[in-house]
Amino acid sequence: MQRKERYQGQKLLIHALCRMAVSMKKTALILISSLLCSALILGGCQMGGEPQAGQSESDISSGSGLPAYTYTYNPYALPSLAEERLGRSLSVYKAAVDAVEERAETVSVGSEEEFELVKGLLEDYYPPFALVTDAQYSAADSSAKFTYRYNDRVHEQKMATYPQLLEGILKLALKEGDSDTTKAMALYLYATSSMFESGRSGLTAWDALNGESDHNGYAEALGALLLQAGVDCLEAEIEMGDGTPHLMVLVKLNGQYYYLDPYGEKELSDGTGLAAFGMTQKDCVEYGYLDAFAVKLGNGSGEVPPAAEDSRFSELRRCVRWEFDEKRENILATVDGVQLDWGPLEKTG
């Protein structure tokens, strides 16, 4: 009973901290609130005994004897298919990222078509682009013109906090030597347990990483974290049964693609399981989503995604809670009331 009261108290404190950060709109408070949210939730995950309602036994910070995760900020992180799509325009994309990082107002581009591709990928995969309120192509000097939300000083402050925020989350969730599958599972748990829906509209991946999300922010934040951790993934657009647009992550693990639905996980297992982790396209349809899938590659209209047909995670569709082993090479998953030794996480043959 004490554990339940303590966990419920943590949840109230988490929501209070996040609302305080949103209402006061101060960068330092937002960062502190986000990190406290994560620490409190993960602290709850590590309690002994049977899990209470809304509590996960999944311990993403297990393996305390393993070395801490080493993180280097990569502002240019993109899906491999997006880099292929850019081709020689990758240098223009990187120049545009540099411009946002430094609050430069002009970037040279080769054509309007190149501008639209670069702009689309910035919107899809570079959360700090939320600081740009307008981006226009100028035919007069073949350039992109950026208008910013904040003045130089505030922009610099916000850009300085972004790598710090990513580092805090990744070091909290990951350990050095984690495989791609381990990273994906750990960050999936972070996304399902460390964000809340405020009801505000117009939220971005930047907001979601700070703890405040809307319907699609869960996938946007998870995708950004996976790319920063070096795990290849795409944002995937699908439609719910009533036709409502919905965003998932299409992650590449061991050469195969799988769908991750952190928002759906909160509905299926209260955010504590793996019911919507590692899904095939068929799994998604069986969950009631329409058979209409597209991935974001900067062109605005979406494209046919790579095939997601491998069913190696199918046993986890009924997983309600789980935890890593000490080496983070396997998981113990509770399915239909039975704890299964599932794994290894990486295929060896």
Side-chain angles (χ1 to χ4, degrees):
M1 189 67 178
Q2 290 179 341
R3 291 193 187 98
K4 183 172 182 179
E5 290 174 352
R6 178 167 46 168
Y7 183 69
Q8 294 299 327
Q10 287 176 342
K11 287 177 70 178
L12 290 173
L13 178 57
I14 287 164
H15 283 212
L17 285 166
C18 291
R19 289 192 182 98
M20 178 180 69
V22 171
S23 63
M24 297 186 74
K25 295 182 179 178
K26 293 191 177 179
T27 303
L29 285 174
I30 290 174
L31 179 59
I32 291 170
S33 298
S34 176
L35 294 178
L36 282 174
C37 288
S38 307
L40 287 169
I41 290 174
L42 295 180
C45 289
Q46 295 173 38
M47 295 177 191
E50 287 300 311
Q52 307 298 331
Q55 178 183 341
S56 171
E57 283 188 349
S58 314
D59 181 2
I60 68 175
S61 58
S62 63
S64 57
L66 299 175
Y69 183 69
T70 302
Y71 171 65
T72 301
Y73 174 51
N74 178 13
Y76 314 119
L78 279 171
S80 59
L81 290 180
E83 291 189 350
E84 290 178 15
R85 172 60 53 84
L86 282 165
R88 293 181 180 179
S89 296
L90 180 59
S91 61
V92 178
Y93 177 86
K94 290 182 176 181
V97 168
D98 291 340
V100 176
E101 300 268 322
E102 299 165 7
R103 202 182 177 280
E105 297 180 351
T106 302
V107 181
S108 295
V109 295
S111 65
E112 185 170 8
E113 181 181 5
E114 184 175 64
F115 164 78
E116 293 295 342
L117 174 60
V118 169
K119 176 175 175 284
L121 290 173
L122 289 169
E123 291 172 339
D124 294 339
Y125 296 107
Y126 179 58
F129 199 63
L131 301 178
V132 176
T133 58
D134 189 45
Q136 298 291 332
Y137 174 71
S138 172
D141 57 357
S142 297
S143 68
K145 306 292 185 184
F146 293 158
T147 302
Y148 293 91
R149 189 176 304 278
Y150 302 106
N151 62 31
D152 288 352
R153 181 179 61 82
V154 176
H155 185 94
E156 182 180 0
Q157 290 174 345
K158 289 188 174 293
M159 285 306 311
T161 66
Y162 182 63
Q164 296 169 9
L165 175 61
L166 292 171
E167 182 176 29
I169 295 171
L170 293 171
K171 285 194 170 184
L172 185 68
L174 306 180
K175 292 291 186 180
E176 191 67 18
D178 279 350
S179 68
D180 281 359
T181 304
T182 300
K183 289 177 180 178
M185 285 184 165
L187 292 172
Y188 182 78
L189 177 60
Y190 178 86
T192 60
S193 64
S194 301
M195 288 180 267
F196 79 102
E197 290 183 81
S198 66
R200 288 203 304 148
S201 59
L203 296 174
T204 66
W206 182 294
D207 298 304
L209 288 166
N210 278 298
E212 183 189 15
S213 182
D214 59 14
H215 184 261
N216 288 326
Y218 292 87
E220 292 173 334
L222 176 58
L225 291 169
L226 286 169
L227 289 173
Q228 286 296 321
V231 181
D232 197 8
C233 68
L234 293 153
E235 290 184 3
E237 298 174 309
I238 69 170
E239 294 181 8
M240 301 176 74
D242 60 0
T244 302
H246 182 62
L247 200 64
M248 290 189 190
V249 173
L250 186 59
V251 66
K252 189 176 185 180
L253 302 172
N254 296 296
Q256 299 286 338
Y257 281 96
Y258 305 91
Y259 286 96
L260 313 181
D261 186 8
Y263 180 84
E265 187 69 55
K266 295 178 74 69
E267 301 296 317
L268 293 166
S269 72
D270 200 23
T272 63
L274 294 167
F277 178 93
M279 295 186 294
T280 64
Q281 188 167 323
K282 181 180 177 181
D283 289 330
C284 296
V285 174
E286 289 179 352
Y287 272 151
Y289 295 114
L290 299 181
D291 194 3
F293 297 78
V295 291
K296 291 188 173 184
L297 284 172
N299 61 2
S301 60
E303 297 188 17
V304 176
E309 300 172 337
D310 185 71
S311 60
R312 70 175 299 235
F313 296 104
S314 60
E315 281 185 300
L316 304 180
R317 295 290 75 81
R318 300 186 306 281
C319 173
V320 295
R321 59 183 183 267
W322 61 280
E323 60 184 353
F324 287 121
D325 66 5
E326 281 302 307
K327 293 184 178 180
R328 296 168 67 90
E329 295 174 350
N330 193 2
I331 64 169
L332 299 176
T334 301
V335 179
D336 294 336
V338 178
Q339 192 174 63
L340 304 176
D341 185 349
W342 192 92
L345 297 181
E346 293 299 308
K347 288 183 176 180
T348 57

